[in-house]
mmCIF file of all heavy atoms in Angstrom:
data_model
loop_
_atom_site.group_PDB
_atom_site.id
_atom_site.type_symbol
_atom_site.label_atom_id
_atom_site.label_comp_id
_atom_site.label_asym_id
_atom_site.label_seq_id
_atom_site.Cartn_x
_atom_site.Cartn_y
_atom_site.Cartn_z
ATOM 1 N N ARG A 62 13.250 1.005 1.623
ATOM 2 C CA ARG A 62 13.434 2.480 1.720
ATOM 3 C C ARG A 62 12.166 3.077 2.241
ATOM 4 O O ARG A 62 11.104 2.945 1.702
ATOM 5 C CB ARG A 62 13.807 3.040 0.327
ATOM 6 C CG ARG A 62 15.156 2.585 -0.114
ATOM 7 C CD ARG A 62 15.746 3.466 -1.175
ATOM 8 N NE ARG A 62 17.056 2.976 -1.521
ATOM 9 C CZ ARG A 62 17.460 2.733 -2.764
ATOM 10 N NH1 ARG A 62 16.605 2.958 -3.770
ATOM 11 N NH2 ARG A 62 18.654 2.278 -3.004
ATOM 12 N N SER A 63 12.337 3.830 3.373
ATOM 13 C CA SER A 63 11.191 4.411 4.008
ATOM 14 C C SER A 63 11.265 5.951 3.797
ATOM 15 O O SER A 63 12.291 6.574 3.997
ATOM 16 C CB SER A 63 11.316 4.158 5.547
ATOM 17 O OG SER A 63 10.286 4.832 6.199
ATOM 18 N N PHE A 64 10.152 6.488 3.386
ATOM 19 C CA PHE A 64 9.999 7.937 3.181
ATOM 20 C C PHE A 64 9.017 8.361 4.271
ATOM 21 O O PHE A 64 7.800 8.482 4.043
ATOM 22 C CB PHE A 64 9.420 8.207 1.783
ATOM 23 C CG PHE A 64 10.319 7.717 0.673
ATOM 24 C CD1 PHE A 64 10.249 6.387 0.232
ATOM 25 C CD2 PHE A 64 11.298 8.538 0.132
ATOM 26 C CE1 PHE A 64 11.114 5.934 -0.762
ATOM 27 C CE2 PHE A 64 12.122 8.077 -0.881
ATOM 28 C CZ PHE A 64 12.038 6.764 -1.328
ATOM 29 N N GLU A 65 9.564 8.626 5.481
ATOM 30 C CA GLU A 65 8.717 8.857 6.632
ATOM 31 C C GLU A 65 7.785 10.022 6.512
ATOM 32 O O GLU A 65 6.590 9.925 6.920
ATOM 33 C CB GLU A 65 9.633 9.045 7.882
ATOM 34 C CG GLU A 65 10.309 7.692 8.234
ATOM 35 C CD GLU A 65 11.221 7.845 9.438
ATOM 36 O OE1 GLU A 65 11.025 8.753 10.250
ATOM 37 O OE2 GLU A 65 12.178 7.036 9.549
ATOM 38 N N LYS A 66 8.217 11.136 5.939
ATOM 39 C CA LYS A 66 7.335 12.315 5.815
ATOM 40 C C LYS A 66 6.141 12.048 4.876
ATOM 41 O O LYS A 66 5.140 12.702 4.964
ATOM 42 C CB LYS A 66 8.149 13.540 5.342
ATOM 43 C CG LYS A 66 9.105 14.087 6.407
ATOM 44 C CD LYS A 66 9.754 15.350 5.835
ATOM 45 C CE LYS A 66 10.706 15.843 6.920
ATOM 46 N NZ LYS A 66 11.424 17.064 6.420
ATOM 47 N N LEU A 67 6.294 11.089 3.992
ATOM 48 C CA LEU A 67 5.238 10.733 3.026
ATOM 49 C C LEU A 67 4.418 9.531 3.455
ATOM 50 O O LEU A 67 3.446 9.145 2.793
ATOM 51 C CB LEU A 67 5.858 10.498 1.652
ATOM 52 C CG LEU A 67 6.602 11.663 1.008
ATOM 53 C CD1 LEU A 67 7.248 11.238 -0.272
ATOM 54 C CD2 LEU A 67 5.629 12.862 0.781
ATOM 55 N N ASP A 68 4.844 8.866 4.539
ATOM 56 C CA ASP A 68 4.204 7.651 4.978
ATOM 57 C C ASP A 68 4.207 6.543 3.905
ATOM 58 O O ASP A 68 3.213 5.861 3.685
ATOM 59 C CB ASP A 68 2.792 7.899 5.486
ATOM 60 C CG ASP A 68 2.724 8.566 6.818
ATOM 61 O OD1 ASP A 68 3.658 8.365 7.608
ATOM 62 O OD2 ASP A 68 1.738 9.262 7.085
ATOM 63 N N ILE A 69 5.376 6.368 3.229
ATOM 64 C CA ILE A 69 5.540 5.416 2.156
ATOM 65 C C ILE A 69 6.752 4.564 2.465
ATOM 66 O O ILE A 69 7.800 5.058 2.895
ATOM 67 C CB ILE A 69 5.772 6.109 0.814
ATOM 68 C CG1 ILE A 69 4.660 7.080 0.487
ATOM 69 C CG2 ILE A 69 5.996 5.097 -0.338
ATOM 70 C CD1 ILE A 69 3.333 6.436 0.219
ATOM 71 N N THR A 70 6.713 3.276 2.174
ATOM 72 C CA THR A 70 7.862 2.357 2.232
ATOM 73 C C THR A 70 7.925 1.599 0.982
ATOM 74 O O THR A 70 6.889 1.037 0.518
ATOM 75 C CB THR A 70 7.786 1.429 3.444
ATOM 76 O OG1 THR A 70 7.723 2.214 4.653
ATOM 77 C CG2 THR A 70 9.027 0.516 3.528
ATOM 78 N N ILE A 71 9.103 1.483 0.383
ATOM 79 C CA ILE A 71 9.302 0.701 -0.867
ATOM 80 C C ILE A 71 10.270 -0.429 -0.536
ATOM 81 O O ILE A 71 11.388 -0.169 -0.032
ATOM 82 C CB ILE A 71 9.921 1.542 -1.997
ATOM 83 C CG1 ILE A 71 9.050 2.790 -2.303
ATOM 84 C CG2 ILE A 71 10.075 0.674 -3.254
ATOM 85 C CD1 ILE A 71 9.676 3.738 -3.257
ATOM 86 N N GLY A 72 9.860 -1.676 -0.833
ATOM 87 C CA GLY A 72 10.721 -2.827 -0.637
ATOM 88 C C GLY A 72 11.319 -3.277 -1.921
ATOM 89 O O GLY A 72 10.564 -3.438 -2.905
ATOM 90 N N TYR A 73 12.632 -3.472 -1.976
ATOM 91 C CA TYR A 73 13.313 -3.962 -3.143
ATOM 92 C C TYR A 73 13.793 -5.368 -2.855
ATOM 93 O O TYR A 73 14.226 -5.700 -1.730
ATOM 94 C CB TYR A 73 14.549 -3.103 -3.447
ATOM 95 C CG TYR A 73 14.227 -1.784 -4.072
ATOM 96 C CD1 TYR A 73 13.917 -0.643 -3.285
ATOM 97 C CD2 TYR A 73 14.304 -1.599 -5.430
ATOM 98 C CE1 TYR A 73 13.633 0.538 -3.831
ATOM 99 C CE2 TYR A 73 13.961 -0.322 -6.016
ATOM 100 C CZ TYR A 73 13.659 0.732 -5.212
ATOM 101 O OH TYR A 73 13.355 1.928 -5.744
ATOM 102 N N GLY A 74 13.739 -6.232 -3.841
ATOM 103 C CA GLY A 74 14.266 -7.562 -3.745
ATOM 104 C C GLY A 74 15.726 -7.595 -4.038
ATOM 105 O O GLY A 74 16.353 -6.592 -4.399
ATOM 106 N N PHE A 75 16.350 -8.802 -3.909
ATOM 107 C CA PHE A 75 17.781 -8.894 -4.186
ATOM 108 C C PHE A 75 18.078 -8.673 -5.653
ATOM 109 O O PHE A 75 19.177 -8.348 -6.022
ATOM 110 C CB PHE A 75 18.260 -10.285 -3.775
ATOM 111 C CG PHE A 75 18.292 -10.481 -2.301
ATOM 112 C CD1 PHE A 75 17.333 -11.305 -1.660
ATOM 113 C CD2 PHE A 75 19.222 -9.801 -1.486
ATOM 114 C CE1 PHE A 75 17.321 -11.461 -0.306
ATOM 115 C CE2 PHE A 75 19.193 -9.952 -0.094
ATOM 116 C CZ PHE A 75 18.254 -10.784 0.487
ATOM 117 N N ASN A 76 17.045 -8.764 -6.504
ATOM 118 C CA ASN A 76 17.217 -8.489 -7.944
ATOM 119 C C ASN A 76 17.100 -6.987 -8.226
ATOM 120 O O ASN A 76 17.074 -6.583 -9.412
ATOM 121 C CB ASN A 76 16.169 -9.284 -8.761
ATOM 122 C CG ASN A 76 14.733 -8.909 -8.452
ATOM 123 O OD1 ASN A 76 14.462 -7.979 -7.628
ATOM 124 N ND2 ASN A 76 13.796 -9.523 -9.090
ATOM 125 N N ARG A 77 16.972 -6.136 -7.202
ATOM 126 C CA ARG A 77 16.927 -4.729 -7.297
ATOM 127 C C ARG A 77 15.641 -4.194 -7.941
ATOM 128 O O ARG A 77 15.608 -3.099 -8.491
ATOM 129 C CB ARG A 77 18.162 -4.132 -7.982
ATOM 130 C CG ARG A 77 19.450 -4.483 -7.230
ATOM 131 C CD ARG A 77 20.578 -3.636 -7.769
ATOM 132 N NE ARG A 77 21.840 -3.974 -7.115
ATOM 133 C CZ ARG A 77 22.215 -3.541 -5.923
ATOM 134 N NH1 ARG A 77 21.510 -2.717 -5.225
ATOM 135 N NH2 ARG A 77 23.418 -3.917 -5.414
ATOM 136 N N ARG A 78 14.581 -4.949 -7.896
ATOM 137 C CA ARG A 78 13.289 -4.575 -8.426
ATOM 138 C C ARG A 78 12.319 -4.361 -7.218
ATOM 139 O O ARG A 78 12.442 -5.022 -6.227
ATOM 140 C CB ARG A 78 12.744 -5.631 -9.367
ATOM 141 C CG ARG A 78 13.548 -5.733 -10.621
ATOM 142 C CD ARG A 78 12.829 -6.590 -11.685
ATOM 143 N NE ARG A 78 13.537 -6.555 -12.938
ATOM 144 C CZ ARG A 78 13.391 -5.610 -13.821
ATOM 145 N NH1 ARG A 78 12.529 -4.617 -13.613
ATOM 146 N NH2 ARG A 78 14.078 -5.602 -14.967
ATOM 147 N N ILE A 79 11.376 -3.490 -7.429
ATOM 148 C CA ILE A 79 10.403 -3.200 -6.373
ATOM 149 C C ILE A 79 9.501 -4.409 -6.226
ATOM 150 O O ILE A 79 8.854 -4.861 -7.160
ATOM 151 C CB ILE A 79 9.580 -1.935 -6.733
ATOM 152 C CG1 ILE A 79 10.509 -0.699 -6.758
ATOM 153 C CG2 ILE A 79 8.427 -1.735 -5.709
ATOM 154 C CD1 ILE A 79 9.856 0.561 -7.221
ATOM 155 N N ARG A 80 9.497 -4.939 -4.999
ATOM 156 C CA ARG A 80 8.682 -6.134 -4.689
ATOM 157 C C ARG A 80 7.578 -5.845 -3.677
ATOM 158 O O ARG A 80 6.708 -6.685 -3.453
ATOM 159 C CB ARG A 80 9.585 -7.241 -4.143
ATOM 160 C CG ARG A 80 10.268 -6.872 -2.863
ATOM 161 C CD ARG A 80 10.904 -8.042 -2.119
ATOM 162 N NE ARG A 80 11.337 -7.603 -0.840
ATOM 163 C CZ ARG A 80 10.534 -7.387 0.213
ATOM 164 N NH1 ARG A 80 9.210 -7.651 0.090
ATOM 165 N NH2 ARG A 80 10.997 -6.976 1.360
ATOM 166 N N LYS A 81 7.650 -4.651 -3.065
ATOM 167 C CA LYS A 81 6.659 -4.364 -2.010
ATOM 168 C C LYS A 81 6.444 -2.846 -1.922
ATOM 169 O O LYS A 81 7.404 -2.072 -2.016
ATOM 170 C CB LYS A 81 7.193 -4.863 -0.686
ATOM 171 C CG LYS A 81 6.343 -4.604 0.524
ATOM 172 C CD LYS A 81 7.048 -5.214 1.753
ATOM 173 C CE LYS A 81 6.474 -4.792 3.007
ATOM 174 N NZ LYS A 81 7.189 -5.364 4.165
ATOM 175 N N ILE A 82 5.204 -2.427 -1.728
ATOM 176 C CA ILE A 82 4.865 -1.042 -1.515
ATOM 177 C C ILE A 82 3.919 -0.974 -0.337
ATOM 178 O O ILE A 82 2.878 -1.664 -0.296
ATOM 179 C CB ILE A 82 4.208 -0.406 -2.776
ATOM 180 C CG1 ILE A 82 5.124 -0.481 -3.977
ATOM 181 C CG2 ILE A 82 3.821 1.032 -2.469
ATOM 182 C CD1 ILE A 82 4.443 -0.130 -5.277
ATOM 183 N N THR A 83 4.286 -0.127 0.648
ATOM 184 C CA THR A 83 3.382 0.092 1.792
ATOM 185 C C THR A 83 3.077 1.573 1.855
ATOM 186 O O THR A 83 3.987 2.436 1.751
ATOM 187 C CB THR A 83 4.008 -0.360 3.142
ATOM 188 O OG1 THR A 83 4.276 -1.765 3.040
ATOM 189 C CG2 THR A 83 3.140 -0.049 4.314
ATOM 190 N N SER A 84 1.799 1.922 2.026
ATOM 191 C CA SER A 84 1.410 3.302 2.096
ATOM 192 C C SER A 84 0.459 3.504 3.280
ATOM 193 O O SER A 84 -0.476 2.732 3.512
ATOM 194 C CB SER A 84 0.777 3.820 0.861
ATOM 195 O OG SER A 84 0.363 5.197 0.962
ATOM 196 N N ARG A 85 0.729 4.556 4.043
ATOM 197 C CA ARG A 85 -0.176 5.004 5.104
ATOM 198 C C ARG A 85 -0.642 6.443 4.774
ATOM 199 O O ARG A 85 -1.207 7.112 5.607
ATOM 200 C CB ARG A 85 0.548 4.963 6.452
ATOM 201 C CG ARG A 85 0.873 3.516 6.880
ATOM 202 C CD ARG A 85 1.781 3.484 8.108
ATOM 203 N NE ARG A 85 3.032 4.224 8.004
ATOM 204 C CZ ARG A 85 4.064 3.869 7.278
ATOM 205 N NH1 ARG A 85 4.073 2.774 6.559
ATOM 206 N NH2 ARG A 85 5.177 4.629 7.243
ATOM 207 N N ASN A 86 -0.395 6.847 3.535
ATOM 208 C CA ASN A 86 -0.725 8.206 3.090
ATOM 209 C C ASN A 86 -2.087 8.201 2.485
ATOM 210 O O ASN A 86 -2.329 7.551 1.488
ATOM 211 C CB ASN A 86 0.357 8.616 2.060
ATOM 212 C CG ASN A 86 0.147 10.010 1.511
ATOM 213 O OD1 ASN A 86 -0.928 10.488 1.288
ATOM 214 N ND2 ASN A 86 1.293 10.742 1.448
ATOM 215 N N PRO A 87 -3.033 8.989 3.025
ATOM 216 C CA PRO A 87 -4.430 8.971 2.524
ATOM 217 C C PRO A 87 -4.576 9.529 1.097
ATOM 218 O O PRO A 87 -5.580 9.333 0.468
ATOM 219 C CB PRO A 87 -5.196 9.827 3.522
ATOM 220 C CG PRO A 87 -4.175 10.539 4.326
ATOM 221 C CD PRO A 87 -2.858 9.815 4.236
ATOM 222 N N GLY A 88 -3.508 10.175 0.548
ATOM 223 C CA GLY A 88 -3.574 10.660 -0.789
ATOM 224 C C GLY A 88 -3.152 9.673 -1.838
ATOM 225 O O GLY A 88 -3.046 9.988 -2.992
ATOM 226 N N THR A 89 -2.960 8.422 -1.366
ATOM 227 C CA THR A 89 -2.565 7.360 -2.313
ATOM 228 C C THR A 89 -3.601 6.264 -2.298
ATOM 229 O O THR A 89 -4.544 6.251 -1.455
ATOM 230 C CB THR A 89 -1.200 6.754 -1.850
ATOM 231 O OG1 THR A 89 -1.364 6.149 -0.560
ATOM 232 C CG2 THR A 89 -0.108 7.802 -1.773
ATOM 233 N N SER A 90 -3.479 5.338 -3.253
ATOM 234 C CA SER A 90 -4.382 4.197 -3.259
ATOM 235 C C SER A 90 -3.722 2.979 -3.892
ATOM 236 O O SER A 90 -2.866 3.117 -4.791
ATOM 237 C CB SER A 90 -5.682 4.508 -3.982
ATOM 238 O OG SER A 90 -5.488 4.637 -5.371
ATOM 239 N N LEU A 91 -4.102 1.837 -3.433
ATOM 240 C CA LEU A 91 -3.689 0.557 -3.995
ATOM 241 C C LEU A 91 -4.959 -0.223 -4.246
ATOM 242 O O LEU A 91 -5.750 -0.509 -3.394
ATOM 243 C CB LEU A 91 -2.809 -0.227 -3.016
ATOM 244 C CG LEU A 91 -1.460 0.421 -2.633
ATOM 245 C CD1 LEU A 91 -0.934 -0.062 -1.315
ATOM 246 C CD2 LEU A 91 -0.487 0.126 -3.715
ATOM 247 N N PHE A 92 -5.207 -0.533 -5.552
ATOM 248 C CA PHE A 92 -6.380 -1.273 -5.987
ATOM 249 C C PHE A 92 -7.645 -0.540 -5.567
ATOM 250 O O PHE A 92 -8.646 -1.147 -5.241
ATOM 251 C CB PHE A 92 -6.367 -2.709 -5.481
ATOM 252 C CG PHE A 92 -5.190 -3.463 -6.016
ATOM 253 C CD1 PHE A 92 -3.989 -3.538 -5.278
ATOM 254 C CD2 PHE A 92 -5.176 -4.049 -7.224
ATOM 255 C CE1 PHE A 92 -2.882 -4.191 -5.744
ATOM 256 C CE2 PHE A 92 -4.090 -4.718 -7.777
ATOM 257 C CZ PHE A 92 -2.926 -4.775 -7.044
ATOM 258 N N GLY A 93 -7.611 0.753 -5.552
ATOM 259 C CA GLY A 93 -8.777 1.612 -5.248
ATOM 260 C C GLY A 93 -8.921 1.809 -3.756
ATOM 261 O O GLY A 93 -9.841 2.539 -3.331
ATOM 262 N N ILE A 94 -8.076 1.245 -2.918
ATOM 263 C CA ILE A 94 -8.200 1.380 -1.453
ATOM 264 C C ILE A 94 -7.213 2.435 -0.988
ATOM 265 O O ILE A 94 -6.038 2.312 -1.262
ATOM 266 C CB ILE A 94 -7.827 -0.005 -0.785
ATOM 267 C CG1 ILE A 94 -8.728 -1.145 -1.389
ATOM 268 C CG2 ILE A 94 -8.014 0.120 0.721
ATOM 269 C CD1 ILE A 94 -8.250 -2.526 -1.070
ATOM 270 N N SER A 95 -7.724 3.389 -0.270
ATOM 271 C CA SER A 95 -6.902 4.469 0.332
ATOM 272 C C SER A 95 -6.890 4.354 1.810
ATOM 273 O O SER A 95 -7.944 4.045 2.410
ATOM 274 C CB SER A 95 -7.443 5.847 -0.119
ATOM 275 O OG SER A 95 -7.345 6.019 -1.446
ATOM 276 N N PRO A 96 -5.823 4.736 2.463
ATOM 277 C CA PRO A 96 -5.863 4.808 3.939
ATOM 278 C C PRO A 96 -6.920 5.823 4.346
ATOM 279 O O PRO A 96 -7.058 6.874 3.766
ATOM 280 C CB PRO A 96 -4.419 5.345 4.271
ATOM 281 C CG PRO A 96 -3.560 4.794 3.166
ATOM 282 C CD PRO A 96 -4.441 4.918 1.955
ATOM 283 N N GLY A 97 -7.741 5.400 5.298
ATOM 284 C CA GLY A 97 -8.836 6.220 5.761
ATOM 285 C C GLY A 97 -10.190 5.635 5.499
ATOM 286 O O GLY A 97 -11.168 6.009 6.130
ATOM 287 N N VAL A 98 -10.308 4.682 4.527
ATOM 288 C CA VAL A 98 -11.569 4.065 4.250
ATOM 289 C C VAL A 98 -11.878 3.023 5.354
ATOM 290 O O VAL A 98 -10.997 2.599 6.102
ATOM 291 C CB VAL A 98 -11.623 3.368 2.849
ATOM 292 C CG1 VAL A 98 -11.339 4.370 1.765
ATOM 293 C CG2 VAL A 98 -10.706 2.192 2.752
ATOM 294 N N SER A 99 -13.092 2.621 5.432
ATOM 295 C CA SER A 99 -13.488 1.603 6.418
ATOM 296 C C SER A 99 -12.932 0.241 5.992
ATOM 297 O O SER A 99 -12.699 0.045 4.790
ATOM 298 C CB SER A 99 -15.005 1.528 6.539
ATOM 299 O OG SER A 99 -15.592 0.959 5.387
ATOM 300 N N ALA A 100 -12.729 -0.624 6.935
ATOM 301 C CA ALA A 100 -12.255 -1.971 6.654
ATOM 302 C C ALA A 100 -13.253 -2.637 5.743
ATOM 303 O O ALA A 100 -12.902 -3.479 4.843
ATOM 304 C CB ALA A 100 -11.988 -2.795 7.926
ATOM 305 N N GLU A 101 -14.523 -2.401 5.952
ATOM 306 C CA GLU A 101 -15.585 -3.074 5.137
ATOM 307 C C GLU A 101 -15.469 -2.612 3.679
ATOM 308 O O GLU A 101 -15.514 -3.425 2.775
ATOM 309 C CB GLU A 101 -16.985 -2.622 5.662
ATOM 310 C CG GLU A 101 -18.121 -3.278 4.962
ATOM 311 C CD GLU A 101 -19.433 -2.871 5.629
ATOM 312 O OE1 GLU A 101 -19.632 -3.215 6.801
ATOM 313 O OE2 GLU A 101 -20.251 -2.243 4.929
ATOM 314 N N GLU A 102 -15.210 -1.291 3.451
ATOM 315 C CA GLU A 102 -15.037 -0.785 2.083
ATOM 316 C C GLU A 102 -13.719 -1.352 1.487
ATOM 317 O O GLU A 102 -13.684 -1.700 0.338
ATOM 318 C CB GLU A 102 -15.016 0.727 2.080
ATOM 319 C CG GLU A 102 -14.729 1.365 0.744
ATOM 320 C CD GLU A 102 -15.877 1.176 -0.287
ATOM 321 O OE1 GLU A 102 -16.916 0.564 0.046
ATOM 322 O OE2 GLU A 102 -15.726 1.675 -1.430
ATOM 323 N N GLY A 103 -12.672 -1.404 2.283
ATOM 324 C CA GLY A 103 -11.391 -2.033 1.801
ATOM 325 C C GLY A 103 -11.609 -3.473 1.371
ATOM 326 O O GLY A 103 -11.092 -3.831 0.341
ATOM 327 N N ASN A 104 -12.351 -4.220 2.157
ATOM 328 C CA ASN A 104 -12.680 -5.589 1.829
ATOM 329 C C ASN A 104 -13.393 -5.681 0.499
ATOM 330 O O ASN A 104 -13.075 -6.503 -0.395
ATOM 331 C CB ASN A 104 -13.449 -6.286 2.927
ATOM 332 C CG ASN A 104 -13.850 -7.713 2.590
ATOM 333 O OD1 ASN A 104 -13.051 -8.500 2.149
ATOM 334 N ND2 ASN A 104 -15.090 -8.017 2.843
ATOM 335 N N ARG A 105 -14.438 -4.828 0.308
ATOM 336 C CA ARG A 105 -15.221 -4.854 -0.909
ATOM 337 C C ARG A 105 -14.363 -4.505 -2.100
ATOM 338 O O ARG A 105 -14.427 -5.154 -3.139
ATOM 339 C CB ARG A 105 -16.359 -3.818 -0.780
ATOM 340 C CG ARG A 105 -17.323 -3.810 -1.951
ATOM 341 C CD ARG A 105 -18.347 -2.669 -1.880
ATOM 342 N NE ARG A 105 -17.743 -1.404 -2.143
ATOM 343 C CZ ARG A 105 -17.319 -0.984 -3.369
ATOM 344 N NH1 ARG A 105 -17.497 -1.772 -4.413
ATOM 345 N NH2 ARG A 105 -16.845 0.227 -3.551
ATOM 346 N N LEU A 106 -13.501 -3.487 -1.991
ATOM 347 C CA LEU A 106 -12.629 -3.088 -3.098
ATOM 348 C C LEU A 106 -11.576 -4.141 -3.395
ATOM 349 O O LEU A 106 -11.251 -4.393 -4.598
ATOM 350 C CB LEU A 106 -11.962 -1.720 -2.752
ATOM 351 C CG LEU A 106 -12.898 -0.533 -2.765
ATOM 352 C CD1 LEU A 106 -12.263 0.685 -2.175
ATOM 353 C CD2 LEU A 106 -13.467 -0.264 -4.173
ATOM 354 N N ALA A 107 -11.029 -4.798 -2.386
ATOM 355 C CA ALA A 107 -10.097 -5.870 -2.645
ATOM 356 C C ALA A 107 -10.711 -7.007 -3.441
ATOM 357 O O ALA A 107 -10.140 -7.523 -4.403
ATOM 358 C CB ALA A 107 -9.496 -6.393 -1.327
ATOM 359 N N GLN A 108 -11.892 -7.405 -3.057
ATOM 360 C CA GLN A 108 -12.586 -8.449 -3.782
ATOM 361 C C GLN A 108 -13.003 -8.027 -5.162
ATOM 362 O O GLN A 108 -12.914 -8.793 -6.118
ATOM 363 C CB GLN A 108 -13.798 -8.952 -2.951
ATOM 364 C CG GLN A 108 -13.319 -9.680 -1.715
ATOM 365 C CD GLN A 108 -14.426 -10.218 -0.865
ATOM 366 O OE1 GLN A 108 -15.625 -10.119 -1.134
ATOM 367 N NE2 GLN A 108 -14.105 -10.802 0.251
ATOM 368 N N LYS A 109 -13.367 -6.786 -5.320
ATOM 369 C CA LYS A 109 -13.714 -6.244 -6.603
ATOM 370 C C LYS A 109 -12.516 -6.263 -7.526
ATOM 371 O O LYS A 109 -12.648 -6.507 -8.764
ATOM 372 C CB LYS A 109 -14.265 -4.816 -6.514
ATOM 373 C CG LYS A 109 -14.620 -4.153 -7.808
ATOM 374 C CD LYS A 109 -15.133 -2.743 -7.608
ATOM 375 C CE LYS A 109 -15.439 -2.096 -8.938
ATOM 376 N NZ LYS A 109 -15.790 -0.676 -8.794
ATOM 377 N N ALA A 110 -11.309 -6.054 -6.987
ATOM 378 C CA ALA A 110 -10.090 -6.104 -7.810
ATOM 379 C C ALA A 110 -9.666 -7.522 -8.121
ATOM 380 O O ALA A 110 -8.689 -7.717 -8.837
ATOM 381 C CB ALA A 110 -8.938 -5.383 -7.033
ATOM 382 N N GLY A 111 -10.376 -8.524 -7.559
ATOM 383 C CA GLY A 111 -10.120 -9.901 -7.896
ATOM 384 C C GLY A 111 -9.276 -10.634 -6.831
ATOM 385 O O GLY A 111 -8.855 -11.807 -7.096
ATOM 386 N N PHE A 112 -9.011 -10.040 -5.691
ATOM 387 C CA PHE A 112 -8.284 -10.686 -4.644
ATOM 388 C C PHE A 112 -9.167 -11.733 -3.960
ATOM 389 O O PHE A 112 -10.366 -11.552 -3.805
ATOM 390 C CB PHE A 112 -7.769 -9.708 -3.620
ATOM 391 C CG PHE A 112 -6.552 -8.975 -4.087
ATOM 392 C CD1 PHE A 112 -6.680 -7.697 -4.611
ATOM 393 C CD2 PHE A 112 -5.285 -9.460 -3.976
ATOM 394 C CE1 PHE A 112 -5.630 -6.974 -5.059
ATOM 395 C CE2 PHE A 112 -4.165 -8.750 -4.400
ATOM 396 C CZ PHE A 112 -4.339 -7.525 -4.962
ATOM 397 N N ILE A 113 -8.508 -12.778 -3.445
ATOM 398 C CA ILE A 113 -9.193 -13.811 -2.700
ATOM 399 C C ILE A 113 -8.785 -13.623 -1.209
ATOM 400 O O ILE A 113 -7.600 -13.487 -0.886
ATOM 401 C CB ILE A 113 -8.754 -15.195 -3.153
ATOM 402 C CG1 ILE A 113 -9.228 -15.407 -4.612
ATOM 403 C CG2 ILE A 113 -9.366 -16.295 -2.236
ATOM 404 C CD1 ILE A 113 -8.647 -16.617 -5.282
#
Side-chain angles (χ1 to χ4, degrees):
R62 292 199 177 128
S63 176
F64 300 85
E65 292 179 25
K66 288 183 181 179
L67 299 175
D68 285 332
I69 303 293
T70 302
I71 304 171
Y73 286 85
F75 292 108
N76 64 0
R77 301 193 182 276
R78 293 191 172 277
I79 296 173
R80 62 167 190 77
K81 177 179 168 182
I82 301 170
T83 298
S84 179
R85 294 171 306 286
N86 185 317
T89 63
S90 71
L91 296 157
F92 300 94
I94 307 164
S95 294
V98 302
S99 69
E101 184 178 297
E102 177 68 359
N104 177 48
R105 185 188 71 73
L106 291 168
Q108 291 181 1
K109 181 180 176 186
F112 282 96
I113 297 169

